[in-house]
Structures are given as C-alpha cells and as structure tokens.
Amino acid sequence: MKRPLSVAAVVAILAFCAVPLVLWGGARLNVTSSFPPGIYWVVDKAPEKGDLVMFCPPQTEVFQLAQERGYLISGPCPGGYMHMIKRLVGVPGDDVLIVPEGVSINGELQVRSQPLHQDPSGRPMPQPPLAHFRLGSDEVLMLSEYSRLSFDGRYFGAVPQGQLGEVVEPWLVWRKTPL
C-alpha cells in the first residue's frame, strides 16, 4: 500500500520549486553583514548615486585576498566571487578622500566609513592605493553606511562602472540595527 506524501514533504517540494521562481522573478538574498540580511527586490532602473547596487567585484589582488580571508564567499561572478551589495556613493568626477576619520565624497563625510586597521582576526586591512583621488569617467565608489565592518571602497577604492549590476531595495530583512 502506498503512503500519501506527508505535509512536510509537500511543503519542502513547494519551497524547493518556489525559490528559483522567486529569485528569477526579482528577489535577491543578502547573507552578508554589509546590509541587513534578508531578501532584496530588484528595481528596474539604471544605478544612480544613492542606490543600493549589486555588483561583481573586479578580478584584482585585493578581491582575491578578500576571498582568501573569507570576506567574500564563492559565487557566479568572474573570478568565482559572489555578488556584493553596496551603496553607490561616488560617481565619475566626485572627489574622494579616505582618511582615518572616514571617507568623504565631495567634502561630505560618509556615515560609518572609518577604515579599520585590522580585521576582527587581527590581520591588517588592505588600503586603497590613493587616499585622495577624483573618480574617473568610468569609476564609482561603493560603501556601506550600515556596517562599520563592511569590506567596501574604503579598502578596495574605486571600481569600474561596468561592474555595476542590479539596483535593489530591502523587501524582507531580519535585522535593521546598524553594526
């Protein structure tokens, strides 16, 4: 005699089938501490200053180091990196200053942007090659105002504008208090 599927099995099957459909439909999962963990929804627009943007890190030594140290997990981006989620704070032509007090864009100090000298494991943090620079015609600066521990532009500097991907907005997040 065959046994009917249990409720738990049906729920598991539905969840297994629903997750790809939701992700394909515009939901993106953030498991990092750069912004509140949870589900973000893709917004149909080109990235602009102030937007939360998902992007693929360029294949450079600083991102290789970040992956080796566990700041980045493996993912679908070139180089085997995961997508990063950061706020687009600097656009071409903006003046960037990175000093111990934090990152300033056009003279405006960014929230929670003070560079750390060491990571939580005591290893020295990378420093961008220039502490004062103007963003080039194809460069942007990405930061997190949510977490002072975020691996962002204060450590890797500018990234090529072509690396930018989808604009996202929080949809269902589980922790809203800044770190």
Side-chain angles (χ1 to χ4, degrees):
M1 183 167 157
K2 290 188 176 181
R3 229 181 197 181
L5 287 175
S6 71
V7 172
V10 171
V11 168
I13 291 168
L14 289 174
F16 180 77
C17 294
V19 168
L21 291 175
V22 169
L23 292 176
W24 182 72
R28 301 294 180 263
L29 184 63
N30 176 40
V31 295
T32 72
S33 61
S34 289
F35 283 93
I39 301 171
Y40 288 71
W41 200 258
V42 174
V43 178
D44 187 19
K45 65 176 280 219
E48 297 175 19
K49 194 171 189 174
D51 287 339
L52 274 179
V53 180
M54 297 190 76
F55 69 100
C56 282
Q59 295 181 60
T60 62
E61 287 182 31
V62 70
F63 288 106
Q64 180 62 41
L65 175 68
Q67 189 174 43
E68 289 168 5
R69 290 184 174 182
Y71 307 158
L72 298 175
I73 58 175
S74 296
C77 292
Y81 306 131
M82 67 174 199
H83 285 93
M84 297 179 78
I85 180 173
K86 306 288 179 209
R87 178 117 17 231
L88 175 55
V89 297
V91 296
D94 282 349
D95 185 63
V96 177
L97 177 64
I98 303 173
V99 294
E101 294 76 31
V103 178
S104 291
I105 309 293
N106 299 324
E108 185 177 325
L109 185 63
Q110 304 298 297
V111 177
R112 286 182 201 65
S113 65
Q114 301 82 4
L116 301 175
H117 295 289
Q118 297 179 335
D119 70 10
S121 297
R123 299 171 292 201
M125 292 298 292
Q127 300 299 313
L130 298 172
H132 187 207
F133 54 95
R134 184 167 305 280
L135 292 169
S137 62
D138 68 339
E139 294 180 320
V140 294
L141 190 71
M142 310 298 288
L143 292 177
S144 168
E145 78 279 359
Y146 176 77
S147 173
R148 65 182 193 82
L149 300 175
S150 178
F151 182 72
D152 57 26
R154 69 191 113 173
Y155 305 111
F156 54 74
V159 295
Q161 199 168 10
Q163 298 297 123
L164 298 182
E166 302 165 318
V167 175
V168 295
E169 292 180 350
W171 184 54
L172 178 64
V173 296
W174 4 112
R175 181 181 3 127
K176 295 182 182 176
T177 307
L179 302 174

PDB file of all heavy atoms in Angstrom, residues 9 17 22-23 26 39 45 47 53 57-58 64 73 90 117 121 129 138 145 162 170:
ATOM      1  N   ALA A   9       6.640  16.944   3.514  1.00  0.00           N
ATOM      2  CA  ALA A   9       7.253  16.649   2.216  1.00  0.00           C
ATOM      3  C   ALA A   9       6.679  17.561   1.131  1.00  0.00           C
ATOM      4  O   ALA A   9       7.406  18.069   0.280  1.00  0.00           O
ATOM      5  CB  ALA A   9       7.046  15.182   1.848  1.00  0.00           C
ATOM      6  N   CYS A  17      10.704  24.262  -5.259  1.00  0.00           N
ATOM      7  CA  CYS A  17      10.290  24.754  -6.577  1.00  0.00           C
ATOM      8  C   CYS A  17      10.084  26.266  -6.580  1.00  0.00           C
ATOM      9  O   CYS A  17      10.335  26.933  -7.583  1.00  0.00           O
ATOM     10  CB  CYS A  17       8.998  24.069  -7.010  1.00  0.00           C
ATOM     11  SG  CYS A  17       9.196  22.296  -7.305  1.00  0.00           S
ATOM     12  N   VAL A  22      11.093  32.648  -7.421  1.00  0.00           N
ATOM     13  CA  VAL A  22      11.170  33.940  -6.744  1.00  0.00           C
ATOM     14  C   VAL A  22      12.467  34.644  -7.128  1.00  0.00           C
ATOM     15  O   VAL A  22      12.475  35.832  -7.454  1.00  0.00           O
ATOM     16  CB  VAL A  22      11.056  33.776  -5.213  1.00  0.00           C
ATOM     17  CG1 VAL A  22      11.406  35.061  -4.497  1.00  0.00           C
ATOM     18  CG2 VAL A  22       9.655  33.332  -4.838  1.00  0.00           C
ATOM     19  N   LEU A  23      13.591  33.917  -7.120  1.00  0.00           N
ATOM     20  CA  LEU A  23      14.874  34.528  -7.480  1.00  0.00           C
ATOM     21  C   LEU A  23      14.855  34.989  -8.929  1.00  0.00           C
ATOM     22  O   LEU A  23      15.351  36.058  -9.259  1.00  0.00           O
ATOM     23  CB  LEU A  23      16.025  33.560  -7.223  1.00  0.00           C
ATOM     24  CG  LEU A  23      16.296  33.247  -5.750  1.00  0.00           C
ATOM     25  CD1 LEU A  23      17.390  32.197  -5.637  1.00  0.00           C
ATOM     26  CD2 LEU A  23      16.661  34.482  -4.973  1.00  0.00           C
ATOM     27  N   GLY A  26      12.947  38.354  -9.351  1.00  0.00           N
ATOM     28  CA  GLY A  26      13.465  39.631  -8.874  1.00  0.00           C
ATOM     29  C   GLY A  26      13.929  39.655  -7.438  1.00  0.00           C
ATOM     30  O   GLY A  26      14.436  40.672  -6.986  1.00  0.00           O
ATOM     31  N   ILE A  39      15.897  39.451   2.182  1.00  0.00           N
ATOM     32  CA  ILE A  39      15.533  39.402   0.773  1.00  0.00           C
ATOM     33  C   ILE A  39      15.396  40.833   0.264  1.00  0.00           C
ATOM     34  O   ILE A  39      14.721  41.669   0.870  1.00  0.00           O
ATOM     35  CB  ILE A  39      14.219  38.627   0.573  1.00  0.00           C
ATOM     36  CG1 ILE A  39      14.381  37.191   1.103  1.00  0.00           C
ATOM     37  CG2 ILE A  39      13.814  38.626  -0.901  1.00  0.00           C
ATOM     38  CD1 ILE A  39      13.094  36.406   1.158  1.00  0.00           C
ATOM     39  N   LYS A  45      15.746  49.926 -12.925  1.00  0.00           N
ATOM     40  CA  LYS A  45      16.304  51.248 -13.223  1.00  0.00           C
ATOM     41  C   LYS A  45      17.810  51.147 -13.314  1.00  0.00           C
ATOM     42  O   LYS A  45      18.413  50.210 -12.785  1.00  0.00           O
ATOM     43  CB  LYS A  45      15.891  52.272 -12.169  1.00  0.00           C
ATOM     44  CG  LYS A  45      16.450  51.990 -10.777  1.00  0.00           C
ATOM     45  CD  LYS A  45      16.088  53.078  -9.778  1.00  0.00           C
ATOM     46  CE  LYS A  45      16.990  54.220  -9.956  1.00  0.00           C
ATOM     47  NZ  LYS A  45      17.517  54.980  -8.951  1.00  0.00           N
ATOM     48  N   PRO A  47      21.547  52.182 -12.231  1.00  0.00           N
ATOM     49  CA  PRO A  47      22.106  52.626 -10.957  1.00  0.00           C
ATOM     50  C   PRO A  47      22.420  54.125 -10.954  1.00  0.00           C
ATOM     51  O   PRO A  47      22.964  54.658 -11.919  1.00  0.00           O
ATOM     52  CB  PRO A  47      23.398  51.812 -10.829  1.00  0.00           C
ATOM     53  CG  PRO A  47      23.226  50.654 -11.739  1.00  0.00           C
ATOM     54  CD  PRO A  47      22.351  51.136 -12.850  1.00  0.00           C
ATOM     55  N   VAL A  53      23.221  48.769  -4.826  1.00  0.00           N
ATOM     56  CA  VAL A  53      23.521  48.116  -6.097  1.00  0.00           C
ATOM     57  C   VAL A  53      24.260  46.811  -5.850  1.00  0.00           C
ATOM     58  O   VAL A  53      25.158  46.745  -5.010  1.00  0.00           O
ATOM     59  CB  VAL A  53      24.386  49.042  -6.991  1.00  0.00           C
ATOM     60  CG1 VAL A  53      24.709  48.373  -8.317  1.00  0.00           C
ATOM     61  CG2 VAL A  53      23.694  50.375  -7.221  1.00  0.00           C
ATOM     62  N   PRO A  57      32.652  41.992  -8.126  1.00  0.00           N
ATOM     63  CA  PRO A  57      33.962  42.595  -7.884  1.00  0.00           C
ATOM     64  C   PRO A  57      34.888  42.340  -9.072  1.00  0.00           C
ATOM     65  O   PRO A  57      34.845  41.279  -9.682  1.00  0.00           O
ATOM     66  CB  PRO A  57      34.486  41.853  -6.652  1.00  0.00           C
ATOM     67  CG  PRO A  57      33.318  41.158  -6.060  1.00  0.00           C
ATOM     68  CD  PRO A  57      32.336  40.937  -7.170  1.00  0.00           C
ATOM     69  N   PRO A  58      35.722  43.334  -9.397  1.00  0.00           N
ATOM     70  CA  PRO A  58      36.699  43.088 -10.463  1.00  0.00           C
ATOM     71  C   PRO A  58      37.726  42.048 -10.020  1.00  0.00           C
ATOM     72  O   PRO A  58      37.939  41.849  -8.821  1.00  0.00           O
ATOM     73  CB  PRO A  58      37.344  44.451 -10.687  1.00  0.00           C
ATOM     74  CG  PRO A  58      36.982  45.280  -9.526  1.00  0.00           C
ATOM     75  CD  PRO A  58      35.800  44.674  -8.856  1.00  0.00           C
ATOM     76  N   GLN A  64      40.921  39.047  -4.475  1.00  0.00           N
ATOM     77  CA  GLN A  64      41.441  37.698  -4.257  1.00  0.00           C
ATOM     78  C   GLN A  64      41.798  37.523  -2.781  1.00  0.00           C
ATOM     79  O   GLN A  64      41.462  36.519  -2.168  1.00  0.00           O
ATOM     80  CB  GLN A  64      42.663  37.439  -5.149  1.00  0.00           C
ATOM     81  CG  GLN A  64      43.261  36.052  -4.978  1.00  0.00           C
ATOM     82  CD  GLN A  64      42.298  34.938  -5.355  1.00  0.00           C
ATOM     83  OE1 GLN A  64      41.569  35.033  -6.335  1.00  0.00           O
ATOM     84  NE2 GLN A  64      42.286  33.876  -4.580  1.00  0.00           N
ATOM     85  N   ILE A  73      32.461  35.239  -0.251  1.00  0.00           N
ATOM     86  CA  ILE A  73      32.299  33.808  -0.486  1.00  0.00           C
ATOM     87  C   ILE A  73      32.281  33.569  -1.989  1.00  0.00           C
ATOM     88  O   ILE A  73      32.176  34.504  -2.781  1.00  0.00           O
ATOM     89  CB  ILE A  73      31.023  33.255   0.188  1.00  0.00           C
ATOM     90  CG1 ILE A  73      29.772  33.984  -0.299  1.00  0.00           C
ATOM     91  CG2 ILE A  73      31.140  33.335   1.698  1.00  0.00           C
ATOM     92  CD1 ILE A  73      28.472  33.402   0.236  1.00  0.00           C
ATOM     93  N   GLY A  90      29.783  57.317  -4.810  1.00  0.00           N
ATOM     94  CA  GLY A  90      30.635  58.184  -5.615  1.00  0.00           C
ATOM     95  C   GLY A  90      30.502  57.843  -7.087  1.00  0.00           C
ATOM     96  O   GLY A  90      30.507  56.666  -7.458  1.00  0.00           O
ATOM     97  N   HIS A 117      42.103  49.370  10.840  1.00  0.00           N
ATOM     98  CA  HIS A 117      43.484  48.996  10.534  1.00  0.00           C
ATOM     99  C   HIS A 117      43.636  47.483  10.491  1.00  0.00           C
ATOM    100  O   HIS A 117      44.502  46.964   9.794  1.00  0.00           O
ATOM    101  CB  HIS A 117      44.444  49.606  11.559  1.00  0.00           C
ATOM    102  CG  HIS A 117      44.471  51.100  11.488  1.00  0.00           C
ATOM    103  ND1 HIS A 117      45.039  51.778  10.444  1.00  0.00           N
ATOM    104  CD2 HIS A 117      43.961  52.040  12.320  1.00  0.00           C
ATOM    105  CE1 HIS A 117      44.889  53.080  10.628  1.00  0.00           C
ATOM    106  NE2 HIS A 117      44.233  53.264  11.754  1.00  0.00           N
ATOM    107  N   SER A 121      40.056  39.348  12.968  1.00  0.00           N
ATOM    108  CA  SER A 121      41.059  38.314  13.273  1.00  0.00           C
ATOM    109  C   SER A 121      42.446  38.898  13.516  1.00  0.00           C
ATOM    110  O   SER A 121      43.410  38.153  13.697  1.00  0.00           O
ATOM    111  CB  SER A 121      41.129  37.303  12.120  1.00  0.00           C
ATOM    112  OG  SER A 121      39.902  36.646  11.980  1.00  0.00           O
ATOM    113  N   PRO A 129      45.170  52.303  -3.095  1.00  0.00           N
ATOM    114  CA  PRO A 129      46.456  52.874  -3.494  1.00  0.00           C
ATOM    115  C   PRO A 129      46.525  54.389  -3.313  1.00  0.00           C
ATOM    116  O   PRO A 129      47.579  54.924  -3.037  1.00  0.00           O
ATOM    117  CB  PRO A 129      46.595  52.488  -4.965  1.00  0.00           C
ATOM    118  CG  PRO A 129      45.243  52.048  -5.397  1.00  0.00           C
ATOM    119  CD  PRO A 129      44.492  51.634  -4.178  1.00  0.00           C
ATOM    120  N   ASP A 138      34.868  56.362 -15.785  1.00  0.00           N
ATOM    121  CA  ASP A 138      34.201  55.054 -15.712  1.00  0.00           C
ATOM    122  C   ASP A 138      34.338  54.427 -14.327  1.00  0.00           C
ATOM    123  O   ASP A 138      34.224  53.222 -14.179  1.00  0.00           O
ATOM    124  CB  ASP A 138      34.757  54.119 -16.784  1.00  0.00           C
ATOM    125  CG  ASP A 138      36.202  53.726 -16.523  1.00  0.00           C
ATOM    126  OD1 ASP A 138      36.897  54.454 -15.784  1.00  0.00           O
ATOM    127  OD2 ASP A 138      36.639  52.688 -17.048  1.00  0.00           O
ATOM    128  N   GLU A 145      26.852  52.170   4.627  1.00  0.00           N
ATOM    129  CA  GLU A 145      26.627  53.003   5.810  1.00  0.00           C
ATOM    130  C   GLU A 145      26.018  52.183   6.945  1.00  0.00           C
ATOM    131  O   GLU A 145      25.864  52.660   8.048  1.00  0.00           O
ATOM    132  CB  GLU A 145      25.731  54.203   5.472  1.00  0.00           C
ATOM    133  CG  GLU A 145      24.255  53.894   5.362  1.00  0.00           C
ATOM    134  CD  GLU A 145      23.829  53.287   4.028  1.00  0.00           C
ATOM    135  OE1 GLU A 145      24.671  53.110   3.126  1.00  0.00           O
ATOM    136  OE2 GLU A 145      22.638  52.983   3.887  1.00  0.00           O
ATOM    137  N   GLY A 162      31.336  49.619 -15.142  1.00  0.00           N
ATOM    138  CA  GLY A 162      30.817  48.462 -15.866  1.00  0.00           C
ATOM    139  C   GLY A 162      30.567  47.242 -14.994  1.00  0.00           C
ATOM    140  O   GLY A 162      29.903  46.309 -15.420  1.00  0.00           O
ATOM    141  N   PRO A 170      15.479  46.819  -0.002  1.00  0.00           N
ATOM    142  CA  PRO A 170      15.094  45.816   1.000  1.00  0.00           C
ATOM    143  C   PRO A 170      13.614  45.457   0.852  1.00  0.00           C
ATOM    144  O   PRO A 170      12.779  46.327   0.624  1.00  0.00           O
ATOM    145  CB  PRO A 170      15.331  46.520   2.338  1.00  0.00           C
ATOM    146  CG  PRO A 170      16.083  47.760   2.036  1.00  0.00           C
ATOM    147  CD  PRO A 170      15.917  48.064   0.589  1.00  0.00           C
TER     148      PRO A 170
END
